[in-house]
PDB file of all heavy atoms in Angstrom:
ATOM      1  N   VAL B  77     -26.931  32.184 -17.464  1.00 98.00           N
ATOM      2  CA  VAL B  77     -27.014  31.341 -16.267  1.00 98.00           C
ATOM      3  C   VAL B  77     -27.015  29.879 -16.680  1.00 98.00           C
ATOM      4  O   VAL B  77     -27.724  29.482 -17.599  1.00 98.00           O
ATOM      5  CB  VAL B  77     -28.318  31.628 -15.498  1.00 98.00           C
ATOM      6  CG1 VAL B  77     -28.382  30.767 -14.248  1.00 98.00           C
ATOM      7  CG2 VAL B  77     -28.394  33.085 -15.132  1.00 98.00           C
ATOM      8  N   LEU B  78     -26.211  29.104 -15.965  1.00 98.00           N
ATOM      9  CA  LEU B  78     -26.131  27.677 -16.240  1.00 98.00           C
ATOM     10  C   LEU B  78     -26.506  26.947 -14.962  1.00 98.00           C
ATOM     11  O   LEU B  78     -25.944  27.216 -13.908  1.00 98.00           O
ATOM     12  CB  LEU B  78     -24.677  27.369 -16.614  1.00 98.00           C
ATOM     13  CG  LEU B  78     -24.351  26.172 -17.470  1.00 98.00           C
ATOM     14  CD1 LEU B  78     -25.023  26.319 -18.828  1.00 98.00           C
ATOM     15  CD2 LEU B  78     -22.839  26.118 -17.655  1.00 98.00           C
ATOM     16  N   THR B  79     -27.464  26.053 -15.056  1.00 98.00           N
ATOM     17  CA  THR B  79     -27.815  25.298 -13.861  1.00 98.00           C
ATOM     18  C   THR B  79     -28.014  23.852 -14.229  1.00 98.00           C
ATOM     19  O   THR B  79     -28.512  23.526 -15.297  1.00 98.00           O
ATOM     20  CB  THR B  79     -29.057  25.884 -13.160  1.00 98.00           C
ATOM     21  OG1 THR B  79     -29.241  25.205 -11.918  1.00 98.00           O
ATOM     22  CG2 THR B  79     -30.326  25.729 -13.986  1.00 98.00           C
ATOM     23  N   MET B  80     -27.594  22.968 -13.314  1.00 97.00           N
ATOM     24  CA  MET B  80     -27.776  21.548 -13.555  1.00 97.00           C
ATOM     25  C   MET B  80     -28.689  21.015 -12.467  1.00 97.00           C
ATOM     26  O   MET B  80     -28.469  21.265 -11.291  1.00 97.00           O
ATOM     27  CB  MET B  80     -26.409  20.858 -13.494  1.00 97.00           C
ATOM     28  CG  MET B  80     -26.461  19.360 -13.546  1.00 97.00           C
ATOM     29  SD  MET B  80     -24.771  18.737 -13.762  1.00 97.00           S
ATOM     30  CE  MET B  80     -24.900  17.199 -12.892  1.00 97.00           C
ATOM     31  N   GLY B  81     -29.721  20.316 -12.871  1.00 95.00           N
ATOM     32  CA  GLY B  81     -30.650  19.818 -11.877  1.00 95.00           C
ATOM     33  C   GLY B  81     -31.893  19.242 -12.537  1.00 95.00           C
ATOM     34  O   GLY B  81     -31.933  19.103 -13.760  1.00 95.00           O
ATOM     35  N   PRO B  82     -32.905  18.925 -11.733  1.00 94.00           N
ATOM     36  CA  PRO B  82     -34.155  18.400 -12.284  1.00 94.00           C
ATOM     37  C   PRO B  82     -34.910  19.479 -13.062  1.00 94.00           C
ATOM     38  O   PRO B  82     -34.540  20.646 -13.034  1.00 94.00           O
ATOM     39  CB  PRO B  82     -34.933  17.966 -11.042  1.00 94.00           C
ATOM     40  CG  PRO B  82     -34.366  18.780  -9.934  1.00 94.00           C
ATOM     41  CD  PRO B  82     -32.941  19.033 -10.284  1.00 94.00           C
ATOM     42  N   PHE B  83     -35.985  19.091 -13.739  1.00 94.00           N
ATOM     43  CA  PHE B  83     -36.734  20.025 -14.583  1.00 94.00           C
ATOM     44  C   PHE B  83     -37.097  21.322 -13.866  1.00 94.00           C
ATOM     45  O   PHE B  83     -37.035  22.405 -14.426  1.00 94.00           O
ATOM     46  CB  PHE B  83     -38.018  19.371 -15.106  1.00 94.00           C
ATOM     47  CG  PHE B  83     -37.737  18.216 -16.022  1.00 94.00           C
ATOM     48  CD1 PHE B  83     -38.403  17.011 -15.872  1.00 94.00           C
ATOM     49  CD2 PHE B  83     -36.794  18.332 -17.030  1.00 94.00           C
ATOM     50  CE1 PHE B  83     -38.140  15.952 -16.714  1.00 94.00           C
ATOM     51  CE2 PHE B  83     -36.522  17.274 -17.891  1.00 94.00           C
ATOM     52  CZ  PHE B  83     -37.195  16.074 -17.719  1.00 94.00           C
ATOM     53  N   ARG B  84     -37.480  21.184 -12.609  1.00 94.00           N
ATOM     54  CA  ARG B  84     -37.965  22.392 -11.925  1.00 94.00           C
ATOM     55  C   ARG B  84     -36.863  23.414 -11.659  1.00 94.00           C
ATOM     56  O   ARG B  84     -37.142  24.569 -11.331  1.00 94.00           O
ATOM     57  CB  ARG B  84     -38.693  22.032 -10.620  1.00 94.00           C
ATOM     58  CG  ARG B  84     -37.794  21.524  -9.517  1.00 94.00           C
ATOM     59  CD  ARG B  84     -38.564  21.279  -8.245  1.00 94.00           C
ATOM     60  NE  ARG B  84     -38.948  22.532  -7.590  1.00 94.00           N
ATOM     61  CZ  ARG B  84     -39.330  22.600  -6.321  1.00 94.00           C
ATOM     62  NH1 ARG B  84     -39.397  21.495  -5.599  1.00 94.00           N
ATOM     63  NH2 ARG B  84     -39.647  23.740  -5.775  1.00 94.00           N
ATOM     64  N   ALA B  85     -35.618  23.007 -11.832  1.00 96.00           N
ATOM     65  CA  ALA B  85     -34.507  23.948 -11.630  1.00 96.00           C
ATOM     66  C   ALA B  85     -34.544  25.077 -12.665  1.00 96.00           C
ATOM     67  O   ALA B  85     -33.817  26.067 -12.535  1.00 96.00           O
ATOM     68  CB  ALA B  85     -33.167  23.223 -11.669  1.00 96.00           C
ATOM     69  N   ALA B  86     -35.409  24.952 -13.682  1.00 97.00           N
ATOM     70  CA  ALA B  86     -35.594  26.055 -14.631  1.00 97.00           C
ATOM     71  C   ALA B  86     -36.049  27.318 -13.900  1.00 97.00           C
ATOM     72  O   ALA B  86     -35.825  28.436 -14.365  1.00 97.00           O
ATOM     73  CB  ALA B  86     -36.616  25.660 -15.693  1.00 97.00           C
ATOM     74  N   GLU B  87     -36.639  27.139 -12.732  1.00 97.00           N
ATOM     75  CA  GLU B  87     -37.051  28.291 -11.902  1.00 97.00           C
ATOM     76  C   GLU B  87     -35.866  29.221 -11.627  1.00 97.00           C
ATOM     77  O   GLU B  87     -36.017  30.447 -11.547  1.00 97.00           O
ATOM     78  CB  GLU B  87     -37.616  27.809 -10.556  1.00 97.00           C
ATOM     79  CG  GLU B  87     -38.955  27.099 -10.685  1.00 97.00           C
ATOM     80  CD  GLU B  87     -39.331  26.291  -9.436  1.00 97.00           C
ATOM     81  OE1 GLU B  87     -38.596  26.358  -8.419  1.00 97.00           O
ATOM     82  OE2 GLU B  87     -40.365  25.583  -9.491  1.00 97.00           O
ATOM     83  N   ILE B  88     -34.686  28.608 -11.472  1.00 97.00           N
ATOM     84  CA  ILE B  88     -33.476  29.387 -11.180  1.00 97.00           C
ATOM     85  C   ILE B  88     -33.152  30.318 -12.341  1.00 97.00           C
ATOM     86  O   ILE B  88     -32.782  31.477 -12.144  1.00 97.00           O
ATOM     87  CB  ILE B  88     -32.294  28.411 -10.933  1.00 97.00           C
ATOM     88  CG1 ILE B  88     -32.507  27.651  -9.635  1.00 97.00           C
ATOM     89  CG2 ILE B  88     -30.933  29.092 -10.940  1.00 97.00           C
ATOM     90  CD1 ILE B  88     -32.552  28.526  -8.425  1.00 97.00           C
ATOM     91  N   ILE B  89     -33.318  29.771 -13.556  1.00 98.00           N
ATOM     92  CA  ILE B  89     -32.999  30.588 -14.739  1.00 98.00           C
ATOM     93  C   ILE B  89     -33.961  31.773 -14.824  1.00 98.00           C
ATOM     94  O   ILE B  89     -33.546  32.914 -15.027  1.00 98.00           O
ATOM     95  CB  ILE B  89     -33.081  29.730 -16.020  1.00 98.00           C
ATOM     96  CG1 ILE B  89     -32.065  28.591 -15.924  1.00 98.00           C
ATOM     97  CG2 ILE B  89     -32.844  30.591 -17.255  1.00 98.00           C
ATOM     98  CD1 ILE B  89     -32.117  27.623 -17.087  1.00 98.00           C
ATOM     99  N   ARG B  90     -35.241  31.489 -14.638  1.00 98.00           N
ATOM    100  CA  ARG B  90     -36.216  32.591 -14.710  1.00 98.00           C
ATOM    101  C   ARG B  90     -35.915  33.637 -13.641  1.00 98.00           C
ATOM    102  O   ARG B  90     -35.885  34.836 -13.900  1.00 98.00           O
ATOM    103  CB  ARG B  90     -37.645  32.052 -14.546  1.00 98.00           C
ATOM    104  CG  ARG B  90     -38.262  31.568 -15.857  1.00 98.00           C
ATOM    105  CD  ARG B  90     -39.736  31.253 -15.685  1.00 98.00           C
ATOM    106  NE  ARG B  90     -39.950  30.126 -14.784  1.00 98.00           N
ATOM    107  CZ  ARG B  90     -39.953  28.842 -15.182  1.00 98.00           C
ATOM    108  NH1 ARG B  90     -39.757  28.540 -16.457  1.00 98.00           N
ATOM    109  NH2 ARG B  90     -40.152  27.889 -14.319  1.00 98.00           N
ATOM    110  N   GLU B  91     -35.668  33.159 -12.422  1.00 98.00           N
ATOM    111  CA  GLU B  91     -35.391  34.093 -11.330  1.00 98.00           C
ATOM    112  C   GLU B  91     -34.200  34.987 -11.684  1.00 98.00           C
ATOM    113  O   GLU B  91     -34.227  36.199 -11.449  1.00 98.00           O
ATOM    114  CB  GLU B  91     -35.115  33.305 -10.040  1.00 98.00           C
ATOM    115  CG  GLU B  91     -34.952  34.142  -8.786  1.00 98.00           C
ATOM    116  CD  GLU B  91     -36.194  34.971  -8.452  1.00 98.00           C
ATOM    117  OE1 GLU B  91     -37.307  34.401  -8.496  1.00 98.00           O
ATOM    118  OE2 GLU B  91     -36.043  36.172  -8.161  1.00 98.00           O
ATOM    119  N   ALA B  92     -33.172  34.384 -12.256  1.00 98.00           N
ATOM    120  CA  ALA B  92     -31.975  35.159 -12.624  1.00 98.00           C
ATOM    121  C   ALA B  92     -32.319  36.170 -13.718  1.00 98.00           C
ATOM    122  O   ALA B  92     -31.814  37.291 -13.719  1.00 98.00           O
ATOM    123  CB  ALA B  92     -30.856  34.226 -13.081  1.00 98.00           C
ATOM    124  N   MET B  93     -33.187  35.776 -14.646  1.00 98.00           N
ATOM    125  CA  MET B  93     -33.551  36.686 -15.741  1.00 98.00           C
ATOM    126  C   MET B  93     -34.400  37.848 -15.230  1.00 98.00           C
ATOM    127  O   MET B  93     -34.264  38.979 -15.706  1.00 98.00           O
ATOM    128  CB  MET B  93     -34.267  35.908 -16.853  1.00 98.00           C
ATOM    129  CG  MET B  93     -33.300  34.975 -17.595  1.00 98.00           C
ATOM    130  SD  MET B  93     -34.105  33.858 -18.759  1.00 98.00           S
ATOM    131  CE  MET B  93     -34.417  34.952 -20.138  1.00 98.00           C
ATOM    132  N   TYR B  94     -35.242  37.579 -14.244  1.00 98.00           N
ATOM    133  CA  TYR B  94     -36.032  38.673 -13.648  1.00 98.00           C
ATOM    134  C   TYR B  94     -35.116  39.724 -13.021  1.00 98.00           C
ATOM    135  O   TYR B  94     -35.474  40.874 -12.857  1.00 98.00           O
ATOM    136  CB  TYR B  94     -36.974  38.152 -12.554  1.00 98.00           C
ATOM    137  CG  TYR B  94     -38.010  37.160 -13.023  1.00 98.00           C
ATOM    138  CD1 TYR B  94     -38.604  36.270 -12.124  1.00 98.00           C
ATOM    139  CD2 TYR B  94     -38.421  37.119 -14.357  1.00 98.00           C
ATOM    140  CE1 TYR B  94     -39.559  35.369 -12.537  1.00 98.00           C
ATOM    141  CE2 TYR B  94     -39.366  36.201 -14.779  1.00 98.00           C
ATOM    142  CZ  TYR B  94     -39.930  35.327 -13.866  1.00 98.00           C
ATOM    143  OH  TYR B  94     -40.861  34.424 -14.270  1.00 98.00           O
ATOM    144  N   ARG B  95     -33.927  39.270 -12.623  1.00 98.00           N
ATOM    145  CA  ARG B  95     -33.007  40.204 -11.958  1.00 98.00           C
ATOM    146  C   ARG B  95     -31.980  40.809 -12.916  1.00 98.00           C
ATOM    147  O   ARG B  95     -31.163  41.623 -12.496  1.00 98.00           O
ATOM    148  CB  ARG B  95     -32.292  39.489 -10.818  1.00 98.00           C
ATOM    149  CG  ARG B  95     -33.248  39.039  -9.724  1.00 98.00           C
ATOM    150  CD  ARG B  95     -32.523  38.229  -8.670  1.00 98.00           C
ATOM    151  NE  ARG B  95     -33.439  37.537  -7.786  1.00 98.00           N
ATOM    152  CZ  ARG B  95     -33.477  37.709  -6.469  1.00 98.00           C
ATOM    153  NH1 ARG B  95     -32.671  38.565  -5.900  1.00 98.00           N
ATOM    154  NH2 ARG B  95     -34.331  37.017  -5.745  1.00 98.00           N
ATOM    155  N   GLY B  96     -31.959  40.335 -14.163  1.00 98.00           N
ATOM    156  CA  GLY B  96     -31.070  40.987 -15.121  1.00 98.00           C
ATOM    157  C   GLY B  96     -30.232  40.087 -16.001  1.00 98.00           C
ATOM    158  O   GLY B  96     -29.524  40.590 -16.878  1.00 98.00           O
ATOM    159  N   ALA B  97     -30.268  38.758 -15.788  1.00 98.00           N
ATOM    160  CA  ALA B  97     -29.506  37.863 -16.670  1.00 98.00           C
ATOM    161  C   ALA B  97     -30.167  37.827 -18.042  1.00 98.00           C
ATOM    162  O   ALA B  97     -31.370  38.062 -18.168  1.00 98.00           O
ATOM    163  CB  ALA B  97     -29.445  36.462 -16.070  1.00 98.00           C
ATOM    164  N   ASP B  98     -29.361  37.533 -19.076  1.00 97.00           N
ATOM    165  CA  ASP B  98     -29.903  37.576 -20.438  1.00 97.00           C
ATOM    166  C   ASP B  98     -30.534  36.271 -20.869  1.00 97.00           C
ATOM    167  O   ASP B  98     -31.544  36.264 -21.559  1.00 97.00           O
ATOM    168  CB  ASP B  98     -28.783  37.943 -21.414  1.00 97.00           C
ATOM    169  CG  ASP B  98     -28.248  39.331 -21.114  1.00 97.00           C
ATOM    170  OD1 ASP B  98     -28.992  40.282 -21.367  1.00 97.00           O
ATOM    171  OD2 ASP B  98     -27.133  39.453 -20.573  1.00 97.00           O
TER     172      ASP B  98
END
Side-chain angles (χ1 to χ4, degrees):
Chain B
V77 181
L78 205 61
T79 187
M80 172 170 149
F83 295 133
R84 71 176 287 197
E87 291 164 5
I88 291 298
I89 299 176
R90 274 189 295 273
E91 186 60 47
M93 290 172 78
Y94 298 158
R95 296 175 193 239
D98 297 290

